[in-house]
Amino acid sequence: MYDAIVIGAGVMGSATAYYLAKAGARTLVLEQFSRGHTFGSSHGDNRIIRLIYEKQFYTELMKHAYAEWREAEKESGKDLLFTTGSVVIGQEGHEYLHDMGVSLDAAGVESEWWDQRQLADRFPQFRIEDGVDALWQKDTGFLYASACVLTYLQLAETHGAEVRENTPITEINWQGTHPQVIAKGERFQGKKVIVTAGAWTGQILSELNLPLTVTRQQVVYYRPTDASLFQRGKFPIFLDVTWDEVLYGFPVFGREGVKIARHGMGQPVSPDTCDRTPDPDYIEHLRSFLRERIPDAAGEALFAQVCLYTETPDEDFIIDTHPDCANLVLATGFSGHGFKFASLVGRMLSEMALEGTTGFDISPFQLARFEQ
Ligand SMILES: Cc1cc2nc3c(=O)[nH]c(=O)nc-3n(C[C@H](O)[C@H](O)[C@H](O)COP(=O)(O)OP(=O)(O)OC[C@H]3O[C@@H](n4cnc5c(N)ncnc54)[C@H](O)[C@@H]3O)c2cc1C
């Protein structure tokens, strides 16, 4: 019997397996595809990591998550987290920026408000009009996403975890003393089972009727006029809300071009039948934004990719124990902003599985909130 069986080797499951195995637990990871696949939510070159949040509890958790990412870098010898600083751009007094500023102040995190001139002095790549502000925060950066997943899996294996790829689980029998997982006709027993199955979690735990919506998201890379303007150190992470949507982008990393995307507003899909071909209209929409805001990045689209969000109604995560089975822990609904927390979520889930509880505050993530 395994001490813990982890279902799904996206960033959450991989990180969880690492903490479990490091704590000495006999750990099995079951992944339906091969490691590093591109059908879920954790693939690609980078994900934003930031302390900036409208809700202060996320900022507080992020302080721990940053430390855990650095620990993974130290143990693996790999560079995973790159600090670039960020600007959040929006109309003066915009609620999104205002709430972020308030939350950062309350959490004791340094930030600066810049006007049009100050932003132009620091990052002349942006064109902003009068009446638009920028909130600067120096600790923002990005995680080398696909490397994070592979690194956590490798570390987990180094600590003794067994990782089975191309092994879709079809059933969890949790009614007995110890949960049983069935995959490819084989039966695996674990003292604890941790479900980190991303967009597939609703299907796997169908008895819970989880309030999850899986949506299709797209990222696009555009050719800049001069790539040197968009290198790390020269260009920050940005989020922009001036177009009544959240648009964000990165310095050049991993492949040619400046990566831009829209946060959310994707169409609901099934993870099994989702169309993986990016939409020409979307690519053109982002390019028209670039022409206005960052004209030097508005060249031809070089590459585009589809990815999935698993959204909850309040966009807060679900991290909890199954209401009818204390031996089954689940973490899902990361709503397009969970990657940066994976280093901490892995630790939380491992503690919940091995000790029955975690010292971190997961009260905002309880399933019971949807019952009211
Ligand atoms: C375009 C895009 C941009 C994003 N940007 C950011 C960002 O900037 N910052 C940030 O913090 N977050 C961001 N996110 C969100 C973040 O990437 C996700 O929250 C995170 O990757 C979710 O990880 P996961 O492990 O829960 O899911 P997944 O990565 O989908 O992993 C779930 C795994 O479970 C496996 N699985 C499912 N069913 C089964 C089964 N039956 N048997 C075995 N295995 C199974 C799947 O194959 C998959 O590998 C973004 C997401 C997208 C799509």
Side-chain angles (χ1 to χ4, degrees), residues 302-321:
L302 297 166
F303 176 74
Q305 196 168 39
V306 167
C307 185
L308 302 174
Y309 277 7
T310 306
E311 302 181 36
T312 63
D314 55 13
E315 295 184 25
D316 294 329
F317 313 150
I318 295 173
I319 302 175
D320 209 340
T321 302

Side-chain angles (χ1 to χ4, degrees), residues 268-334:
V269 289
S270 152
D272 298 316
T273 55
C274 169
D275 179 0
R276 310 272 167 181
T277 311
D279 303 333
D281 287 358
Y282 176 85
I283 293 173
E284 205 35 53
H285 174 72
L286 291 191
R287 189 136 66 135
S288 54
F289 164 78
L290 286 174
R291 272 193 214 104
E292 179 178 307
R293 179 71 68 229
I294 314 169
D296 280 323
E300 70 178 296
L302 297 166
F303 176 74
Q305 196 168 39
V306 167
C307 185
L308 302 174
Y309 277 7
T310 306
E311 302 181 36
T312 63
D314 55 13
E315 295 184 25
D316 294 329
F317 313 150
I318 295 173
I319 302 175
D320 209 340
T321 302
H322 190 295
D324 299 315
C325 178
N327 295 327
L328 208 158
V329 175
L330 66 145
T332 184
F334 289 98

Side-chain angles (χ1 to χ4, degrees), residues 1-5 26-28 162 164 188-191:
M1 176 161 18
Y2 292 93
D3 292 319
I5 300 176
R26 189 165 174 239
T27 304
L28 171 68
E162 189 182 329
R164 293 213 192 181
F188 304 93
Q189 203 162 47
K191 291 181 188 158

Side-chain angles (χ1 to χ4, degrees), residues 36-333:
H37 69 87
T38 58
F39 304 111
S41 304
S42 301
H43 55 282
D45 298 312
N46 44 15
R47 294 288 188 280
I48 299 173
I49 179 166
R50 56 184 159 98
L51 290 163
I52 315 169
Y53 260 95
E54 300 149 272
K55 296 178 183 171
Q56 197 193 330
F57 63 81
Y58 282 119
T59 303
E60 299 299 344
L61 291 176
M62 274 314 302
K63 293 176 184 172
H64 299 285
Y66 266 93
E68 297 293 339
W69 284 115
R70 291 298 184 203
E71 199 50 43
E73 285 186 313
K74 209 158 103 190
E75 190 173 335
S76 65
K78 299 206 170 116
D79 292 331
L80 302 174
L81 195 172
F82 299 84
T83 305
T84 59
S86 63
V87 284
V88 186
I89 298 171
Q91 290 87 352
E92 213 178 298
H94 194 291
E95 198 184 349
Y96 185 67
L97 274 75
H98 170 267
D99 292 353
M100 283 178 166
V102 170
S103 165
L104 288 177
D105 288 347
V109 175
E110 273 176 49
S111 61
E112 290 173 33
W113 287 98
W114 291 349
D115 61 16
Q116 187 192 21
R117 189 189 47 78
Q118 287 163 304
L119 180 63
D121 281 353
R122 187 69 186 269
F123 297 115
Q125 298 92 332
F126 294 98
R127 302 270 180 284
I128 64 169
E129 51 282 8
D130 230 1
V132 170
D133 281 342
L135 177 63
W136 162 255
Q137 212 292 313
K138 66 177 173 47
D139 302 300
T140 302
F142 62 84
L143 292 156
Y144 185 0
S146 51
C148 292
V149 176
L150 298 179
T151 299
Y152 270 136
L153 283 176
Q154 275 163 13
L155 288 176
E157 287 173 317
T158 307
H159 288 289
E162 189 182 329
V163 180
R164 293 213 192 181
E165 300 172 50
N166 303 304
T167 310
I169 73 111
T170 43
E171 208 180 320
I172 308 175
N173 295 326
W174 45 264
Q175 287 86 352
T177 321
H178 295 299
Q180 282 192 348
V181 176
I182 296 162
K184 279 185 155 175
E186 250 191 281
R187 208 169 274 275
F188 304 93
Q189 203 162 47
K191 291 181 188 158
K192 302 283 175 171
V193 168
I194 299 110
V195 180
T196 47
W200 289 265
T201 309
Q203 298 172 14
I204 292 175
L205 298 173
S206 58
E207 73 279 4
L208 292 181
N209 285 318
L210 295 169
L212 299 173
T213 308
V214 177
T215 61
R216 178 173 172 271
Q217 309 291 330
Q218 305 169 72
V219 303
V220 190
Y221 291 68
Y222 296 88
R223 188 192 298 285
T225 52
D226 175 358
S228 72
L229 294 173
F230 295 94
Q231 298 303 311
R232 233 169 344 117
K234 284 257 180 75
F235 188 68
I237 298 286
F238 75 87
L239 288 96
D240 187 301
V241 292
T242 54
W243 275 32
D244 286 338
E245 51 192 339
V246 182
L247 300 169
Y248 64 91
F250 299 79
V252 174
F253 181 79
R255 69 178 73 228
E256 205 187 337
V258 180
K259 175 179 162 182
I260 314 285
R262 175 168 68 199
H263 170 65
M265 300 171 72
Q267 79 224 69
V269 289
S270 152
D272 298 316
T273 55
C274 169
D275 179 0
R276 310 272 167 181
T277 311
D279 303 333
D281 287 358
Y282 176 85
I283 293 173
E284 205 35 53
H285 174 72
L286 291 191
R287 189 136 66 135
S288 54
F289 164 78
L290 286 174
R291 272 193 214 104
E292 179 178 307
R293 179 71 68 229
I294 314 169
D296 280 323
E300 70 178 296
L302 297 166
F303 176 74
Q305 196 168 39
V306 167
C307 185
L308 302 174
Y309 277 7
T310 306
E311 302 181 36
T312 63
D314 55 13
E315 295 184 25
D316 294 329
F317 313 150
I318 295 173
I319 302 175
D320 209 340
T321 302
H322 190 295
D324 299 315
C325 178
N327 295 327
L328 208 158
V329 175
L330 66 145
T332 184

